[in-house]
C-alpha cells in the first residue's frame, strides 16, 4: 500500500470535532471536512465540546478560542486534564495571532494554531498533516505496546545492561527468577548477581564493545550461576547481544536451567553409585583414586587402600537365596561406608562381594586400625551364615596396602599389594586383617606368603 492510499484510508476513518460559536465558520468548516471524507461533529460551546469529545473520542479537534462562557483555552485545559481525552490533538483557530496568544495555545498542549480569517485550503492541509502525524504516532505506540506485551510475557528473563554493568531494565520473568520486585534491580550492577571473575569478564567485554562496536563480536550464550535475592544460587543460560542506541547497551536473555542441571546432576550421581548398595561404584572409585593419587604425589602424604571380601559368600547365596544375599551386601556396604568420614575417604562396591575403601593422608598403622574396626563392625552385625566354616556369623577378610606414591609408581601396584594382603588373610583362616606396604620388596614378601 503506497503513502497516498494510506492517507486516503486515514481520512475516511478519521473523526473531526469542530468547536466554534460563529455559525458561518462552523458551516464552512463542516462542509469542508465532509467533502474531505471525514466523519464530522460540531459544537458551539466549550461545555458541549467536552461532552462530545468524551463520548466519541475524535481523532482531531478544531477549537475556536473566543467563545462565550468557557473559552477555547479553558476547554483545551480540561481536555488535557482528562485521561480519556488528553491525547486528542487540538488545533486552535483564532483571530488573536499575537505571539503571546500563540505561545499560550501551545503551552496548553495544542499541536497547531491557525489564524482567522480562515483560509480553507490551509485548514485542510493542516488537518491532513496532523491526522497523518497522529496515525504514525498511534502505529508507533501500538508497536511499542505490542513489544511491551511480548517482553512482559516472555518465559525468558530479559535484562538491559549499560556499558558500565549497571542494569537499566528487567522484565517480570527476570524479576521472578531472581526473587526481586518490579524495578528493584534497576540501577544495580551485574557484579551483585554474578561471581566476581565472571562479572569482570562481562565488564571487560562491555568496555571493548563500547570502544569499538564494529570490531567486537557477540558474546553468545554461556552457563552462569546467578545469586538469588535470598542468597541461594540459580543456574542460568545467559545470552548476551550488544546493540547501539545513542549509547552501547547489552540485551541479556536468561533461561532457567536449574531443573535441567538438577536432572543432569542426578544422572551423574546415579552413574557413580552402585544401585544395590547405594555406595560408590567401581567407575567412581577409579576416578576418585586417580585424583587422590595425583594429590598424594604432590603432597608426599601416604595413601592407604583397603580391599575387603565377604567370606564364603557363594555358599551364603546358595543356602539362603539371592534376595538374602542382596540384603547382606547392603548391610556390609553401610558398615563400610560408616568408616569413610572425610571428603578424602571413599567406600565403594568394586564387584560382586568385593568392596574397597580409600583413605588419603593415612599411614599404614591408622589404616590397619580402621580396617580392623570395619571387620569387627561387620562381625557384630551377627548376620547368620549357616554353612560358613569360619564363624556362625557373616565375616570378611581384609587386605590393607599403604604407599607414598611418586612418579615411578603406578596405581596398579597399590591395588595388587592390597589384593594380595587380602588373600593372605583368607589363607590365614579368614575373618582377619592383613597389611603391607606397596612396593617391590613388600610385594614380593606378600607373594611368597601366598605361594606357600
Amino acid at each position: 500500500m503506497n503513502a497516498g492510499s494510506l492517507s486516503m484510508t486515514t481520512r475516511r476513518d478519521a473523526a473531526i470535532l469542530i468547536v466554534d460559536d460563529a455559525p458561518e465558520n462552523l458551516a464552512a468548516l463542516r462542509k469542508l471536512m465532509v467533502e474531505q471524507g471525514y466523519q464530522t461533529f460540531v459544537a458551539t460551546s466549550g461545555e458541549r465540546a467536552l461532552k462530545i469529545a468524551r463520548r466519541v473520542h475524535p481523532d482531531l479537534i478544531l477549537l475556536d478560542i473566543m467563545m462565550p462562557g468557557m473559552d477555547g483555552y479553558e476547554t483545551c485545559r480540561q481536555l488535557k486534564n482528562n485521561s480519556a481525552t488528553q491525547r486528542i490533538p487540538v488545533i486552535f483557530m483564532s483571530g488573536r495571532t499575537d505571539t503571546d496568544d500563540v505561545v499560550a495555545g501551545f503551552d496548553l498542549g495544542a499541536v497547531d494554531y491557525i489564524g482567522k480569517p480562515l483560509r480553507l485550503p490551509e485548514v485542510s492541509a493542516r488537518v491532513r498533516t496532523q491526522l497523518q502525524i497522529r496515525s504514525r504516532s498511534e502505529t508507533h505506540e501500538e508497536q511499542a505496546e505490542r513489544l511491551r506485551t511480548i517482553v512482559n510475557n516472555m518465559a525468558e528473563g530479559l535484562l538491559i545492561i549499560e556499558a558500565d554493568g549497571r542494569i537499566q531494565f528487567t522484565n517480570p520473568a527476570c524479576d521472578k527468577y531472581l526473587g526481586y520486585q518490579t524495578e528493584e534491580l534497576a540501577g544495580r550492577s551485574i557484579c551483585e548477581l554474578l561471581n566476581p571473575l565472571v562479572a569482570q569478564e562481562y565488564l571487560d567485554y562491555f568496555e571493548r564493545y563500547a570502544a569499538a562496536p564494529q570490531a567486537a563480536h557477540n558474546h553468545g550464550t554461556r552457563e552462569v550461576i546467578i545469586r538469588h535475592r535470598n542468597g541461594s544460587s540459580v543456574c542460568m543460560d545467559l545470552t548476551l547481544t550488544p546493540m547501539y542506541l545513542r549509547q552501547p547497551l547489552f540485551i541479556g536473555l536468561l533461561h532457567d536451567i536449574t531443573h535441567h542441571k538438577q536432572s543432569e546432576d542426578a544422572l551423574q550421581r546415579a552413574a557413580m553409585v552402585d544401585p544395590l548398595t547405594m555406595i560408590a561404584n567401581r567407575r567412581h572409585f577409579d576416578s576418585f583414586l586417580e585424583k587422590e593419587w595425583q594429590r598424594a604425589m604432590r603432597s608426599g602424604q601416604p595413601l592407604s587402600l583397603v580391599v575387603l571380601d565377604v567370606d564364603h559368600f557363594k555358599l551364603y547365596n546358595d543356602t539362603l537365596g539371592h534376595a538374602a544375599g542382596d540384603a547382606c551386601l547392603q548391610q556390609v556396604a553401610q558398615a563400610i561406608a560408616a568408616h569413610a568420614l572425610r571428603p578424602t575417604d571413599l567406600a565403594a562396591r568394586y564387584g560382586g562381594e568385593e568392596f574397597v575403601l580409600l583413605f588419603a593422608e593415612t599411614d599404614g598403622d591408622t589404616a590397619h586400625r580402621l580396617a580392623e574396626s570395619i571387620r569387627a563392625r561387620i562381625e557384630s552385625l551377627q548376620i547368620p551364615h549357616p554353612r560358613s566354616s569360619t564363624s556362625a556369623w557373616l565375616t570378611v577378610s581384609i587386605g590393607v596396602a599403604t604407599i607414598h606414591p611418586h612418579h615411578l609408581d603406578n596405581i596398579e601396584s597399590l591395588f595388587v599389594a592390597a589384593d594380595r594382603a587380602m588373600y593372605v588373610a583368607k589363607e590365614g583362616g579368614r575373618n582377619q586383617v592383613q597389611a603391607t606396604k606397596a612396593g617391590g620388596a613388600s610385594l614380593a614378601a606378600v607373594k611368597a606368603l601366598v605361594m606357600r
Side-chain angles (χ1 to χ4, degrees), residues 75-89:
T75 303
C76 184
R77 184 179 292 109
Q78 293 198 28
L79 286 168
K80 297 304 177 183
N81 287 336
N82 188 310
S83 60
T85 58
Q86 63 184 193
R87 298 176 66 183
I88 302 172

Side-chain angles (χ1 to χ4, degrees), residues 388-451:
S388 173
S389 58
T390 303
S391 169
W393 314 116
L394 188 89
T395 60
V396 294
S397 296
I398 302 177
V400 180
T402 301
I403 191 171
H404 287 76
H406 57 80
H407 66 280
L408 295 178
D409 292 317
N410 58 59
I411 293 176
E412 184 182 0
S413 65
L414 179 63
F415 256 105
V416 169
D419 203 48
R420 294 299 186 185
M422 181 192 69
Y423 276 100
V424 170
K426 286 185 175 292
E427 290 291 324
R430 293 184 169 84
N431 191 24
Q432 60 183 271
V433 177
Q434 291 292 334
T436 184
K437 291 183 179 179
S442 298
L443 180 56
V446 172
K447 286 181 178 179
L449 285 169
V450 174
M451 295 302 292

